[in-house]
Amino acid sequence: MSQRLLAFILLGFLATGMTKHVNVGAADDAPKPNEMAEKDLAEQLVGTWRLEKASTPGSPSGVGTRLKLFTGTYWCIIQPDAETGVLVFHHGGRYEVDGNEVKTTRDFAGESTKSMIGGNKILTIRIDNDTMQQMDSDGVFNETWKRVK
């Protein structure tokens, strides 16, 4: 994917108001252990991830080209065709972290995935350094992602 296309997509993502929100609390508001784990995962998620391995990579395959982006409150996934650069799909929405689960909603989508608007998914996430393991209860979206630096 060209750097120009990636920059355009990222600028569009940020221009729609999907930026990280940070709330600063008083020292008396110290998080409980479970809240700390959620905060740690939420903070680790923020950034851009590239698909490395998938139980269902799609057609055309998204391995190496599919990107998943997380802000503090929004996520989106983008997959261009590796040969043409044309977007195969793009969708996303809000998300919440609960322990090691990420609860996503699908609030927007491109033409090819517009039927997903209004849906939701719960994914179990484990992050180790710059590798994210994602599992879902159906086994459809069991994927390995690498952080893009």
Side-chain angles (χ1 to χ4, degrees):
M1 174 182 346
S2 76
Q3 293 293 334
R4 185 174 181 200
L5 176 61
L6 179 59
F8 177 75
I9 291 168
L10 292 174
L11 285 174
F13 185 67
L14 294 173
T16 59
M18 298 175 197
T19 57
K20 184 176 180 180
H21 300 284
V22 177
N23 294 324
V24 179
D28 294 339
D29 297 333
K32 296 173 180 66
N34 190 36
E35 291 172 340
M36 288 175 54
E38 290 172 19
K39 182 179 178 186
D40 289 345
L41 180 58
E43 289 177 355
Q44 291 177 60
L45 278 173
V46 173
T48 303
W49 301 84
R50 179 176 292 123
L51 183 65
E52 293 292 315
K53 183 178 169 184
S55 58
T56 53
S59 180
S61 173
V63 173
T65 62
R66 188 177 304 160
L67 298 175
K68 186 174 273 194
L69 297 88
F70 288 93
T71 70
T73 53
Y74 283 87
W75 71 280
C76 79
I77 191 165
I78 303 162
Q79 181 178 324
D81 183 299
E83 294 182 20
T84 66
V86 173
L87 288 182
V88 176
F89 65 81
H90 173 223
H91 54 268
R94 297 184 66 82
Y95 75 94
E96 294 179 359
V97 174
D98 183 9
N100 67 343
E101 292 182 342
V102 176
K103 299 174 181 182
T104 65
T105 62
R106 294 185 204 113
D107 302 326
F108 59 87
E111 187 65 29
S112 65
T113 55
K114 66 183 179 185
S115 65
M116 299 173 94
I117 295 174
N120 56 54
K121 192 76 170 162
I122 297 176
L123 303 167
T124 301
I125 303 286
R126 185 178 73 237
I127 298 176
D128 183 24
N129 295 318
D130 290 328
T131 301
M132 175 173 59
Q133 298 290 324
Q134 169 188 292
M135 286 91 27
D136 82 286
S137 59
D138 302 323
V140 176
F141 299 107
N142 291 348
E143 300 169 340
T144 301
W145 298 80
K146 293 286 185 179
R147 186 180 301 278
V148 177
K149 293 183 178 182

